[in-house]
Amino acid sequence: MPHNILVADDDPHIREIICFALEKAGMKALGVADGAAALQAVERRAPDLIVLDIGMPEMDGLEVCRRLRQRSDVPVLFLSARDEEIDRILGLEMGGDDYVTKPFSPRELVARVNVILRRARPGSQEEADDRQFAHGKLTLVPASHAACFDGKPLILTAIEFAILKGFLARPQHVLGRDAVKANAYQSNIHVSERTVDSHIRNIRAKLAAVGCLDAIATVHGVGFRLGRCGG
């Protein structure tokens, strides 16, 4: 079955370009022009992923995502006309999976969509085994996309889950930003260091909220290392 993608952007030309690229890649795409219409479309039929413009009038993409996260964990790929760090951080901290800046390559956007869909789909070929990853009080079960700390569930986006899984797979290693990116994205996708840092910051915040204050340590000038995860 083809994936159903919802595209929310107030620019009809951009909507058309994105929908065409997604459909050419074998997906079904529905375009809407504003945030209210996006929320209504999700209520009618939950999509597999939403491409969501931040800069829509009346209800912007950040507010749409905030409302969605009250009842849904549908993956979100943000679009923005501005490459400003505050937009990127806010989008990721509100539960976005990735961030693309306009102007963008339709081919790269489709590639990022495919990465998120693959990460978000339990039971995919790369996660078909029944392995569990445990370190301290932190546990990840990739086959069911489940994560918990000391018995408390963690709500992670697909990209955050993939990054954390990469750390648990090599708990004694220091991972540079390139290694962190490789765990979450295809090698032919450009991801800025700021995006990696935003994901790490978000993972730390989510773990701190359930009592894990030593999740990921920064090794200055090198990268990141998994902490004790002991509370």
Side-chain angles (χ1 to χ4, degrees), residues 132-142 146-152 154 156 161 164 168:
Q132 294 189 21
F133 295 85
H135 181 76
K137 298 179 181 179
L138 178 62
T139 302
L140 264 68
V141 184
C148 67
F149 176 78
D150 198 19
K152 302 170 186 175
L154 284 166
L156 302 171
F161 192 97
L164 196 53
L168 267 73

Side-chain angles (χ1 to χ4, degrees), residues 1-230:
M1 292 290 291
H3 291 290
N4 291 292
I5 312 298
L6 177 64
V7 180
D9 194 300
D10 60 309
D11 187 323
H13 179 61
I14 290 178
R15 288 201 309 274
E16 182 179 355
I17 289 174
I18 296 174
C19 288
F20 177 80
L22 292 169
E23 289 171 353
K24 188 177 179 181
M27 307 178 206
K28 291 183 178 180
L30 171 66
V32 296
D34 57 64
L39 293 174
Q40 292 170 4
V42 172
E43 287 293 333
R44 288 194 300 269
R45 182 178 181 183
D48 297 305
L49 181 143
I50 302 175
V51 179
L52 186 59
D53 180 36
I54 286 181
M56 292 183 293
E58 298 185 21
M59 185 189 302
D60 65 20
L62 296 175
E63 176 62 17
V64 173
C65 187
R66 187 189 69 79
R67 296 190 187 191
L68 280 172
R69 286 295 174 257
Q70 294 175 357
R71 61 183 187 275
S72 172
D73 61 354
V74 59
V76 171
L77 172 65
F78 277 114
L79 293 177
S80 177
R82 301 189 305 167
D83 187 19
E84 293 194 5
E85 186 174 14
I86 187 64
D87 285 347
R88 189 185 306 273
I89 292 171
L90 282 173
L92 297 175
E93 288 184 349
M94 284 191 174
D97 292 82
D98 204 355
Y99 186 107
V100 172
T101 303
K102 301 175 184 177
F104 56 86
S105 160
R107 180 179 297 179
E108 180 179 356
L109 186 143
V110 170
R112 288 176 181 265
V113 166
N114 278 321
V115 167
I116 297 171
L117 290 172
R118 187 173 66 250
R119 297 298 192 192
R121 186 172 65 248
S124 62
Q125 184 174 357
E126 67 179 18
E127 306 288 12
D129 59 68
D130 294 325
R131 289 182 298 167
Q132 294 189 21
F133 295 85
H135 181 76
K137 298 179 181 179
L138 178 62
T139 302
L140 264 68
V141 184
S144 57
H145 191 77
C148 67
F149 176 78
D150 198 19
K152 302 170 186 175
L154 284 166
I155 307 302
L156 302 171
T157 69
I159 298 298
E160 291 166 359
F161 192 97
I163 289 173
L164 196 53
K165 175 175 172 279
F167 280 109
L168 267 73
R170 295 186 288 173
Q172 305 305 320
H173 289 230
V174 176
L175 302 184
R177 287 179 175 83
D178 286 343
V180 174
K181 287 188 285 187
N183 287 332
Y185 296 90
Q186 295 174 346
S187 58
N188 62 339
I189 292 179
H190 172 72
V191 180
S192 73
E193 291 189 353
R194 289 185 299 173
T195 296
V196 172
D197 291 345
S198 294
H199 283 307
I200 295 293
R201 186 183 300 111
N202 209 25
I203 292 169
R204 284 170 169 161
K206 290 183 177 183
L207 280 160
V210 293
C212 181
L213 304 179
D214 58 353
I216 300 174
T218 298
V219 181
H220 293 288
V222 183
F224 307 96
R225 177 193 287 120
L226 192 64
R228 293 189 308 108
C229 299

